Amino acid sequence: RAKAAGKNTYQFFTTEMNQAALKRLILENQLRRVLEREELCLFYQPQIALSTGQLVGMEALLRWQHPESGLLSPSQFVAVAEEMNLIIPIGEWVLRTACYQTQAWQAAGLLPIRISINVSSRQFKPVYWLQTIKNVLQESQLAPNYLELELTESVLMEEHNDNNNSIVAVLTELRTMGVQIAIDDFGTGYSSLSYLKRLPVNTLKIDRSFIQDINSNRDDAAIITAIIALAHSLHLSVVAEGVENKEQLIFLQSRQCEIVQGYLLSKPLSQEEMTKLLQRIDQQPLCLLPV
Ligand code: C2E
Ligand code: MG
Ligand code: MG
Ligand code: MG
C-alpha cells in the first residue's frame, strides 16, 4: 500500500513538473514570435509636477497582447525574455516604438512631453546601446532631450557589466547628447551611493514600496524624506512612483518632491487614451492633481 501510494505521489509530481515544463515551452515558443506577430504594445503612465499639476513626462510600460491569455504585464514574461536573450530585440522594439510615438505626437502639434523607457541590466550592453539609441533618435527625428532611460541600480554596478568604464563613458555621452538618465526603484538596490557621484544621473525614482506605507511606517517616511533631501543636495529631481492616495500626495508635497506617478493620478494609458489626454491638454492647461 505504502509503496503504491509512493508511486502515485511520484507520478503526481512528474505530471505537475511536466505540465510546468510544457507551459514554459509553449510560452517560450510564443515569446519567440511576439515581434513578427506584432503582439507587443506600450502603455503610457503620466508623470505629474506636484507644484503645478501639469503633465511633465510619461513612462512607457511594456504589455504583451497574448493570443489566448489577454494583456500580460512584464512580470509575466520579461524574466523569461531575459533568460532567452530575447530582451535585446524586445528592448530595441520598446526604444523604437517609444521614440517614434513621441515624435508622432509632436508632429501632430501636441505638447511635447518627455518619455521614459525601462532598460534592464540584461539588455544594457553600453557600447551597443549607445549606437542603437543614436540610430533610433536619428531615424525617428525625436530630439534627445525628450528621451529618458530608467536604469536600475544593478545596471550601474560594475560586477554586472563587462566594463564599468564603458558605462560611465556611455552615460556621459548620452547626457551630452541631451538624453536623461533616471535611477528606477531607488532605495531597493545597493547600499553604496558612490555611483551617484561618478555617473551623470538626472533623476531618482523612489520605489513604490517606500511610498506604500508612508503614513503608517515612520521608517519609510524617514527614508523618503532622506532620499528627497539627498536628491536635492545633488541637484537631482525626484519622482515618487506608486502614489495611490491623497495622504501620500500630501506627504510628498510637504517634502518638496517634484514629480508624482501612480494610480491616484492616472493608471498606465493605452496609446489611444494617451492621445486623447494630450489633445485635452492642447485645448487648455489641465491640472491633473485630485482636488
Ligand atoms: P517599474 O519601472 O518600477 O514601473 C512601475 C510599475 O508600477 C508598473 O508596473 C506600473 O504599472 C506600476 N504602477 C504604477 N502606478 C502604480 C500604483 O499607484 N500602484 C501600484 N500598485 N502599481 C503602480 P508594470 O507596468 O507591471 O511594470 C512592472 C515592471 O516591469 C516595471 O517596473 C519595469 O521594471 C518592468 N518593465 C516595464 N516595461 C518594461 C520594458 O519595456 N522593458 C523592460 N526591460 N522592463 C520593463
Ligand atoms: Mg520604471
Ligand atoms: Mg520603478
Ligand atoms: Mg518598481
Side-chain angles (χ1 to χ4, degrees):
R1 260 196 83 110
K3 212 172 178 180
K7 203 176 167 198
N8 282 339
T9 313
Y10 173 74
Q11 280 176 342
F12 173 74
F13 277 120
T14 44
T15 310
E16 282 240 306
M17 271 157 44
N18 285 339
Q19 255 161 19
L22 187 63
K23 257 180 105 174
R24 164 76 184 226
L25 202 65
I26 293 171
L27 182 75
E28 286 183 7
N29 278 323
Q30 291 172 326
L31 203 48
R32 241 179 232 118
R33 305 166 86 157
V34 282
L35 287 171
E36 65 186 66
R37 294 190 173 175
E38 301 183 357
E39 290 170 346
L40 295 178
C41 66
L42 294 181
F43 271 55
Y44 303 90
Q45 189 174 34
Q47 299 179 329
I48 313 296
L50 254 180
S51 58
T52 61
Q54 306 286 302
L55 181 72
V56 291
M58 53 176 113
E59 178 175 7
L61 294 161
L62 184 59
R63 299 289 181 266
W64 177 8
Q65 189 64 63
H66 189 278
E68 293 120 36
S69 317
L71 205 61
L72 302 186
S73 55
S75 62
Q76 295 167 284
F77 65 92
V78 163
V80 181
E82 286 181 339
E83 283 169 40
M84 297 170 68
N85 262 329
L86 275 175
I87 198 64
I88 305 289
I90 289 176
E92 265 187 56
W93 180 89
V94 170
L95 172 71
R96 186 159 275 128
T97 305
C99 290
Y100 272 89
Q101 182 59 63
T102 307
Q103 170 56 26
W105 279 321
Q106 293 184 15
L110 299 169
L111 191 71
I113 302 286
R114 183 194 61 220
I115 190 142
S116 306
I117 64 165
N118 292 283
V119 184
S120 75
S121 53
R122 286 288 279 271
Q123 66 183 109
F124 194 78
K125 311 258 180 276
V127 177
Y128 163 79
W129 257 83
L130 177 65
Q131 199 48 55
T132 307
I133 289 171
K134 280 183 179 171
N135 292 346
V136 172
L137 284 173
Q138 194 178 26
E139 289 162 22
S140 66
Q141 300 282 309
L142 180 70
N145 53 315
Y146 291 112
L147 178 65
E148 180 172 75
L149 305 182
E150 293 194 4
L151 309 172
T152 55
E153 291 169 86
S154 63
V155 176
L156 308 173
M157 303 308 288
E158 39 271 78
E159 61 263 37
H160 289 262
N161 281 285
D162 34 0
N163 183 352
N164 192 50
N165 286 336
S166 65
I167 289 212
V168 179
V170 162
L171 293 186
T172 305
E173 186 164 348
L174 286 170
R175 286 289 297 123
T176 309
M177 289 161 56
V179 175
Q180 315 277 305
I181 311 288
I183 312 281
D184 205 356
D185 306 335
F186 186 77
T188 61
Y190 293 78
S191 53
S192 161
L193 296 175
S194 63
Y195 67 82
L196 285 180
K197 134 183 123 170
R198 286 183 290 116
L199 294 169
V201 168
N202 310 79
T203 302
L204 302 184
K205 290 193 78 176
I206 307 176
D207 191 63
R208 190 172 79 220
S209 59
F210 298 114
I211 310 293
Q212 232 158 36
D213 301 321
I214 265 184
N215 291 295
S216 55
N217 186 321
R218 278 158 68 193
D219 292 340
D220 284 347
I223 288 170
I224 292 169
T225 305
I227 292 176
I228 295 174
L230 171 74
H232 287 164
S233 58
L234 293 172
H235 306 289
L236 307 174
S237 72
V238 198
V239 179
E241 64 177 22
V243 178
E244 292 181 350
N245 61 54
K246 230 168 148 185
E247 291 70 40
Q248 295 166 341
L249 196 73
I250 290 166
F251 179 93
L252 292 163
Q253 223 148 16
S254 75
R255 299 298 191 279
Q256 274 89 46
C257 177
E258 280 93 36
I259 299 172
V260 283
Q261 178 184 348
Y263 296 165
L264 178 69
L265 297 317
S266 169
K267 285 183 311 186
L269 304 175
S270 68
Q271 180 197 310
E272 293 75 23
E273 291 169 323
M274 181 51 93
T275 303
K276 285 195 190 118
L277 176 63
L278 290 169
Q279 286 165 345
R280 271 171 62 211
I281 290 173
D282 202 43
Q283 308 290 312
Q284 61 190 111
L286 210 60
C287 177
L288 296 168
L289 294 175
V291 280

